[in-house]
Amino acid sequence: MYLWLVFIHAVSAMISIGPFFVLFPMLGKLRKAEEPLLSSYLDSFLFVVRLSKHSGHVLVISGLLLLWLGGWPWTTPFIAATFIVLFASLLFMARAFSPTIRRLRQPDHDRVKLVNKLARSLYIYMFVLFVMLWLMMMKPALW
């Protein structure tokens, strides 16, 4: 059972991070796209955000089960640090993508400013995801 949970945890981590790489080339296309294409690019962007969010649910649940079954204490440095970064990333993600995408769908928007905001949010969120990935893989003794 434990090995299956490790597998599920690893796959959900890949699904949480991997699709964001598709969004980098899409940022350039968002800057220039006409209305019919703009809507489809925004739908794709939103799909990736939702996919990451839902696979993140599986990631957290499988991680909690691995903690419980593996006997890891909550005070283990890499676990505590990961949960701190996780909660910060949840607050960030709630405000980073969906509101900006909604504003891009409105007719009177400053596309350059909003796409730049999406790009900045994407880079910050990818950094946060890689910090969590580093904490889980390297298991550093932070204190």
Side-chain angles (χ1 to χ4, degrees):
M1 176 74 167
Y2 188 83
L3 291 177
W4 277 105
L5 279 173
V6 170
F7 177 75
I8 290 168
H9 192 67
V11 169
S12 61
M14 287 185 280
I15 294 172
S16 291
I17 297 171
F20 279 103
F21 286 101
V22 173
L23 299 180
F24 289 113
M26 195 180 298
L27 288 170
K29 295 179 184 203
L30 274 172
R31 286 183 173 88
K32 301 172 189 170
E34 296 300 320
E35 186 48 42
L37 278 176
L38 177 65
S39 183
S40 67
Y41 287 140
L42 293 175
D43 288 343
S44 300
F45 212 102
L46 200 56
F47 173 77
V48 167
V49 171
R50 286 182 179 155
L51 177 66
S52 175
K53 180 175 61 172
H54 293 306
S55 64
H57 295 141
V58 175
L59 185 64
V60 170
I61 291 168
S62 62
L64 290 172
L65 288 171
L66 287 169
L67 274 172
W68 178 57
L69 292 174
W72 291 91
W74 288 95
T75 56
T76 305
F78 75 91
I79 293 171
T82 300
F83 275 101
I84 290 168
V85 174
L86 172 70
F87 288 123
S89 76
L90 293 175
L91 295 174
F92 176 78
M93 190 174 191
R95 306 223 13 149
F97 298 110
S98 296
T100 306
I101 291 171
R102 260 186 258 122
R103 287 179 43 203
L104 273 167
R105 290 186 191 278
Q106 296 173 351
D108 56 339
H109 63 267
D110 182 0
R111 187 183 301 191
V112 173
K113 180 181 172 186
L114 291 174
V115 171
N116 287 341
K117 183 178 179 182
L118 271 180
R120 186 175 52 252
S121 296
L122 182 60
Y123 287 116
I124 292 169
Y125 192 63
M126 288 298 289
F127 175 76
V128 169
L129 288 174
F130 280 120
V131 167
M132 285 190 287
L133 185 65
W134 176 78
L135 287 166
M136 287 287 102
M137 291 180 70
M138 302 307 290
K139 298 176 179 26
L142 300 171
W143 55 81

